[in-house]
Structures are given as structure tokens and as C-alpha cells.
């Protein structure tokens, strides 16, 4: 009867059960041992656990550990079949406290272990994605190079409205960076994985504008493609449509743009079926749209449809705090791009800081790229600047040459100290904080503080 009960237990148990004697000889085993260990009962019974461990079937053997420690043991096994098993071994004693049997239970944890590993991999991926997103945000912020209070306010508004679908009008002179802010709005929104379609309204001839924006069906007019064309409105579906130089948009197209914004549908030239479109609209202009309305060159109803969130980007001459950081940022980028090691001569830097930059950030970027490419020496000198003249060196009194210093009877150490002091004075006048000074001078903020104290600059 006991034999039948033991057989029933071995057969019914979901765990694999192995029974050995006090010497580790396998007496019985469950029929499911093939599922876990890859071997039939007949291959295990009559074998010692020492032999089975040596063959890698029990790895490691929980029975051997029980025989060594004379107590219950629990451990993890890795089987030949690649399964992960939790094995528990229990000693069985007779009335004289002599060990007679060891019963081990093996529970397959492979699926649970796989789920755990999948979860851990998912956690690693999530951390990686978070780091990538943070790096992307940091890169976007760094590309703006924001130091001035006026630009910090602009960036704050951009961040607040980016995740909405509100139409934004970017205002400002040519070259202030309106396109860069349009990109920031797109990549800061939920539409960032969708298309960003940019159109310069002043670069497309009026006769082609409608076919570009709406597209056309095959053979709808002379010269049309036999395959037809998808318009920009459709291409921007679910994404962002950026209309730069919106003030250049022809009056007849202003009417059609207004209709698309109101009805959210477009119909191709030569087509009959209207198609639904869903895009976020951003426009930019350097023209005074209110004055254009008075002159009759811009529709008032379209103006109010677009003028939901106007953001004015100040010109570079009105945010001088940004110039020094921009100069070094662009120089670093161009050095990396062309594998150069160019740097600004002190007087050249002074002239660059004093320049009014009528072309704004675009002019600054083009100027630095040209200087990196055409200057013979690594040092970018005042004579290399396109706007340099003999009378333009306004900072000569502060950036004295080595000849002048030595003619005054100064030692090299004294001359270097004088140059260092002049650099600090210039940075002190140009920057608002010691952290900004550190960025401009290329030294740490504590060093800036110590140097200001050293030269009594207050």
C-alpha cells in the first residue's frame, strides 16, 4: 500500500521528485524528469548522484549538499536542456537519527527566469531611452545657446506651447533663428515622430505654389507628371507644417490656406475627392503683417487665424550676452566639422563682440565658418575679419601688444598678468554671472572668482 501511495505521489506531482538512499543512489524518480532534466527515469535509477553530477545531469546536485550538511538545502540548478530549476533537498532520518533517505523536489523556474531577464532588459532599454531623450533635449537647448534674459523668456514660451496644437507665429529679423525654433516646437511635441514639412513661401513661384501645396492628379494639366503628385498639406498629415516667410504668400493662396485651416481638408488639382488633413501649423515672417493688412497685401482674416501665439525673437545686437557663447559654440562646431584647431586672437574676439551683426545668427555662423576655412594660422586675427579696418580696433587700449608691454619695462610674468587682467575685465563687462565668464574664458567658475579677487575687480 505504501508503495502505491509513493507511486501515486511521484506521478501526480508537478515538481520532479527524486528519492535516494544515504549513499546517494537514486531509488525512485518522477516520470516528468525527462521534461526537466532531459533523461528518462530508467537512466537515473540505479545511478549515484555523484555520477549524475559528473555527467552534468544534476548541476549541482542538491542531494550531495544534503549528504554533506546533514540538513535541508535549497539551490538553483542549470540543466542540460537549458532550464533553470529550483531544487530543494530534505533528509529523512530513522528513529536512531540515522539518515536513510534524501528526497529532492525540483521546480522549473525557466519561464519565470525568462520573464525576469526580459524585465531587466526592458529596464535597461528604458534607462537608455531616457538618457537619449535627455541628451536630445540638452542638445536642442545647447543649439539655441541661450544666455540673455530675453532669449530665456522666448525659450520658456517655446517649452510651454510646444506640446499643444496652437498655431505659432515666429516674428523677427532675417537670420535670428526662426527655423531652429520651429524645429524645437516640433520636436517638443507629441508629433515629433511625424513629418516636419518646411516651405519657404518666398522661394516658390506663384504659378507653382498651388500645385506644390495641394498636389495634383495625373494628367490634370499640361506638363503634369503622369503619376500625379502629393501636396505639402498631405505630406504634413499628423505632423507639423512650417511656412517660412508667410508674408510672401500670394493673396489668392492666402484665401486657399485659410479654407484648408477652417475645413481641415484638401483637394488635389484635377481631383474631386477632398481628403482630411491634420497638421500643426507654424509660420514665420520678418515683415510687419499689420502694416501689410493696411496696404491690402495680407488678409486680415488669415492674420487673426494665424496670430494665436506670436513669439518675437530679438535680434542679436539686442542680446549681446549671447554673442560670446555663440562665437565659441559655432567655432567649436566648425573645428569639429573640418578637423581644425582654430581659436580667436584676443583683439579679434573683441571686434567680434563689438560687431552689430545685422545678419544676426546666420551672419555669425557664416562668418565663423569662413574664418575657419580661409585663415592660414590657427589663431584668427583681427586682420582676418571681413569687417576689419585700421580704425575698427576699438579695444586696442585694453588689449595691448607684447611690444608695448615690454617697452614699459615689464617682465614676462607681469605682462602675462596684465593680459589676464584685461581678459577678465572684458569678460566681466560682457557677462552677467561668473558662470558665464567661465564659459567665455574657458576656465572653471571657482578660478574666475579667485582671479577676480586677485586683481580686485569688483
Amino acid at each position: 500500500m505504501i508503495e502505491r501511495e509513493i507511486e501515486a505521489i511521484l506521478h501526480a506531482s508537478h515538481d520532479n521528485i527524486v528519492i535516494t538512499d544515504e549513499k546517494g543512489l537514486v531509488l525512485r524518480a518522477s516520470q516528468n524528469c525527462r521534461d526537466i532534466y532531459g533523461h528518462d527515469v530508467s537512466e537515473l535509477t540505479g545511478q549515484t548522484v555523484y555520477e549524475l553530477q559528473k555527467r552534468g545531469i544534476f548541476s549541482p546536485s542538491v542531494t550531495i549538499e544534503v549528504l554533506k550538511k546533514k540538513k535541508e538545502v535549497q539551490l538553483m540548478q542549470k540543466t542540460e536542456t537549458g532550464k533553470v530549476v529550483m531544487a530543494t533537498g530534505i533528509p529523512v532520518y530513522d528513529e536512531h537519527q540515522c539518515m536513510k533517505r534524501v528526497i529532492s523536489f525540483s521546480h522549473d523556474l525557466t519561464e519565470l527566469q525568462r520573464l525576469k531577464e526580459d524585465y531587466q532588459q526592458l529596464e535597461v532599454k528604458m534607462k537608455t531611452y531616457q538618457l537619449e531623450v535627455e541628451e536630445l533635449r540638452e542638445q536642442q537647448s545647447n543649439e539655441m545657446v541661450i544666455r540673455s534674459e530675453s532669449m530665456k523668456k522666448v525659450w520658456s514660451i517655446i517649452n510651454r506651447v510646444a506640446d499643444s496644437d496652437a498655431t505659432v507665429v515666429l516674428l523677427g529679423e532675417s537670420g535670428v533663428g526662426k527655423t531652429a525654433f520651429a524645429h524645437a516646437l516640433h520636436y517638443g511635441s507629441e508629433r515629433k515622430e511625424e513629418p516636419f514639412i518646411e516651405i519657404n513661401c518666398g522661394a516658390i513661384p506663384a504659378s507653382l505654389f498651388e500645385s506644390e501645396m495641394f498636389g495634383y492628379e495625373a494628367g490634370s494639366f499640361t506638363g503634369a507628371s503622369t503619376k500625379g503628385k502629393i501636396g505639402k498639406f498631405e505630406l504634413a498629415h499628423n505632423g507639423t507644417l512650417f511656412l517660412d516667410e508667410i508674408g510672401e504668400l500670394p493673396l489668392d493662396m492666402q484665401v486657399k490656406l485659410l479654407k484648408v485651416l477652417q475645413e481641415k481638408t484638401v483637394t488635389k488639382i484635377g481631383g474631386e475627392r477632398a481628403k482630411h488633413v491634420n497638421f500643426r501649423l507654424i509660420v514665420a515672417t520678418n515683415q510687419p503683417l499689420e502694416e501689410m493688412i493696411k496696404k491690402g497685401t495680407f488678409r486680415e482674416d488669415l492674420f487673426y487665424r494665424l496670430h494665436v501665439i506670436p513669439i518675437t525673437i530679438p535680434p542679436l545686437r539686442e542680446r549681446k550676452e549671447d554673442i560670446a557663447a555663440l562665437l565659441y559654440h559655432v567655432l567649436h562646431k566648425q573645428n569639429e566639422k573640418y578637423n581644425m584647431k582654430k581659436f580667436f586672437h584676443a583683439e579679434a574676439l573683441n571686434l567680434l563682440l563689438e560687431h552689430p551683426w545685422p545678419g544676426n545668427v546666420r551672419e555669425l555662423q557664416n562668418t565663423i565658418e569662413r574664418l575657419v576655412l580661409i585663415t592660414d594660422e590657427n589663431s584668427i586675427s583681427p586682420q582676418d575679419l571681413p569687417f576689419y579696418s585700421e580704425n575698427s580696433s576699438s579695444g586696442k587700449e585694453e588689449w595691448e601688444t607684447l611690444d608695448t608691454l615690454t617697452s614699459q619695462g615689464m617682465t614676462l610674468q607681469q605682462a602675462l598678468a596684465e593680459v589676464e587682467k584685461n581678459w577678465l575685465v572684458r569678460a566681466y563687462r560682457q557677462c552677467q554671472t561668473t558662470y558665464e565668464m567661465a564659459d567665455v574664458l574657458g576656465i572653471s567658475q571657482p578660478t574666475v572668482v579667485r582671479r577676480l579677487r586677485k586683481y580686485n575687480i569688483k
Side-chain angles (χ1 to χ4, degrees):
M1 187 66 182
I2 294 176
E3 288 289 326
R4 289 183 180 179
E5 289 175 348
I6 293 173
E7 287 296 333
I9 292 170
L10 291 174
H11 180 73
S13 175
H14 293 293
D15 290 343
N16 177 254
I17 301 175
V18 175
I19 302 174
T20 73
D21 64 13
E22 71 278 11
K23 295 180 180 179
L25 184 71
V26 177
L27 303 175
R28 297 174 183 273
S30 302
Q31 293 296 326
N32 61 1
C33 62
R34 168 166 283 279
D35 295 334
I36 295 180
Y37 293 106
H39 295 272
D40 289 327
V41 176
S42 59
E43 296 178 70
L44 302 184
T45 53
Q47 302 288 322
T48 68
V49 289
Y50 300 99
E51 185 67 29
L52 295 172
Q53 178 174 268
K54 188 181 295 184
R55 289 169 54 188
I57 297 175
F58 295 157
S59 180
S61 169
V62 69
T63 302
I64 292 176
E65 293 301 310
V66 172
L67 293 171
K68 284 180 183 177
K69 298 177 180 179
K70 311 294 184 183
K71 64 178 183 178
E72 181 179 331
V73 175
Q74 189 173 71
L75 52 76
M76 301 297 290
Q77 293 177 333
K78 187 76 177 286
T79 72
E80 288 179 310
T81 57
K83 292 182 179 295
V84 177
V85 176
M86 183 176 70
T88 303
I90 301 173
V92 179
Y93 295 94
D94 63 11
E95 65 274 13
H96 304 295
Q97 295 301 306
C98 293
M99 188 185 300
K100 291 298 182 180
R101 298 285 186 269
V102 176
I103 303 175
S104 64
F105 303 83
S106 301
H107 184 70
D108 187 358
L109 298 179
T110 307
E111 191 61 31
L112 184 61
Q113 181 69 17
R114 188 176 291 120
L115 289 172
K116 180 183 178 183
E117 290 173 357
D118 289 345
Y119 177 75
Q120 289 172 339
Q121 290 178 2
L122 183 61
E123 277 193 318
V124 171
K125 285 182 180 179
M126 287 300 296
K127 288 179 181 177
T128 303
Y129 293 150
Q130 286 174 351
L131 286 173
E132 288 176 353
V133 169
E134 288 170 3
E135 287 175 4
L136 181 60
R137 287 174 178 168
E138 186 67 22
Q139 288 168 5
Q140 289 176 343
S141 179
N142 288 342
E143 285 299 320
M144 297 300 168
V145 188
I146 297 167
R147 295 290 185 275
S148 63
E149 288 301 319
S150 58
M151 287 299 285
K152 287 178 182 177
K153 290 178 181 177
V154 169
W155 187 244
S156 175
I157 296 172
I158 291 290
N159 284 329
R160 284 203 300 271
V161 304
D163 206 22
S164 72
D165 273 344
T167 301
V168 175
V169 181
L170 298 170
L171 306 168
E173 296 178 5
S174 179
V176 293
K178 296 187 288 293
T179 300
F181 281 104
H183 279 280
L185 285 165
H186 174 72
Y187 288 110
S189 73
E190 292 183 354
R191 298 175 183 264
K192 60 188 174 186
E193 302 297 334
E194 303 296 335
F196 177 88
I197 304 299
E198 179 181 355
I199 299 293
N200 189 318
C201 300
I204 302 176
S207 58
L208 300 177
F209 208 94
E210 185 173 3
S211 62
E212 282 291 319
M213 297 305 296
F214 287 86
Y216 54 81
E217 298 290 354
S220 55
F221 56 86
T222 304
S225 170
T226 55
K227 297 180 180 179
K229 183 177 181 179
I230 300 176
K232 303 301 184 186
F233 287 131
E234 281 190 63
L235 289 175
H237 182 60
N238 289 333
T240 300
L241 179 65
F242 174 46
L243 298 180
D244 197 7
E245 305 299 344
I246 188 71
E248 301 292 335
L249 192 65
L251 274 171
D252 59 332
M253 279 306 301
Q254 292 180 27
V255 176
K256 293 177 180 180
L257 172 61
L258 182 62
K259 185 177 179 182
V260 170
L261 297 178
Q262 290 172 339
E263 299 179 1
K264 301 291 184 182
T265 60
V266 293
T267 304
K268 289 182 178 180
I269 297 174
E272 297 179 355
R273 185 171 60 87
K275 185 173 182 179
H276 173 73
V277 287
N278 170 29
F279 54 80
R280 199 261 184 93
L281 182 64
I282 302 172
V283 301
T285 183
N286 59 3
Q287 300 186 48
L289 296 181
E290 291 92 337
E291 293 183 17
M292 293 180 66
I293 292 172
K294 295 176 182 178
K295 295 177 182 178
T297 56
F298 199 87
R299 293 183 61 90
E300 186 174 14
D301 49 1
L302 178 60
F303 172 82
Y304 287 113
R305 184 82 187 188
L306 300 177
H307 212 258
V308 179
I309 301 178
I311 301 176
T312 301
I313 304 169
L316 199 52
R317 63 181 175 275
E318 293 180 7
R319 46 187 175 104
K320 288 187 176 293
E321 302 95 320
D322 294 332
I323 296 176
L326 266 170
L327 287 168
Y328 281 103
H329 174 77
V330 176
L331 180 64
H332 174 71
K333 290 288 186 183
Q334 296 304 324
N335 274 333
E336 280 191 339
K337 181 179 178 180
Y338 297 110
N339 195 25
M340 299 286 192
K341 295 182 179 179
K342 301 299 176 74
F343 60 91
F344 297 123
H345 181 277
E347 192 174 339
L349 178 62
N350 184 49
L351 292 175
L352 289 165
L353 292 170
E354 296 296 332
H355 186 63
W357 299 108
N360 294 295
V361 178
R362 187 182 296 123
E363 181 193 359
L364 184 146
Q365 291 172 330
N366 293 341
T367 298
I368 301 306
E369 183 171 16
R370 181 166 66 249
L371 290 171
V372 166
L373 288 172
I374 67 172
T375 52
D376 295 324
E377 304 295 332
N378 280 340
S379 174
I380 298 173
S381 66
Q383 291 79 11
D384 297 321
L385 305 184
F387 43 78
Y388 174 79
S389 69
E390 290 297 330
N391 298 323
S392 66
S393 186
S394 60
K396 282 185 178 179
E397 71 282 354
E398 293 179 2
W399 306 98
E400 296 173 278
T401 64
L402 182 59
D403 290 339
T404 304
L405 293 170
T406 53
S407 68
Q408 295 175 356
M410 289 187 180
T411 65
L412 175 60
Q413 187 174 2
Q414 290 172 327
L416 289 173
E418 188 67 22
V419 171
E420 182 180 54
K421 180 180 179 181
N422 285 329
W423 270 84
L424 285 162
V425 169
R426 170 59 61 180
Y428 184 79
R429 293 176 180 175
Q430 202 69 42
C431 304
Q432 292 187 333
T433 67
T434 53
Y435 290 98
E436 290 181 21
M437 290 179 66
D439 285 341
V440 171
L441 297 172
I443 57 179
S444 67
Q445 188 267 348
T447 302
V448 170
V449 174
R450 286 196 298 271
R451 294 291 190 272
L452 289 174
R453 192 180 296 119
K454 174 183 176 181
Y455 295 113
N456 197 28
I457 300 171
K458 298 180 180 179

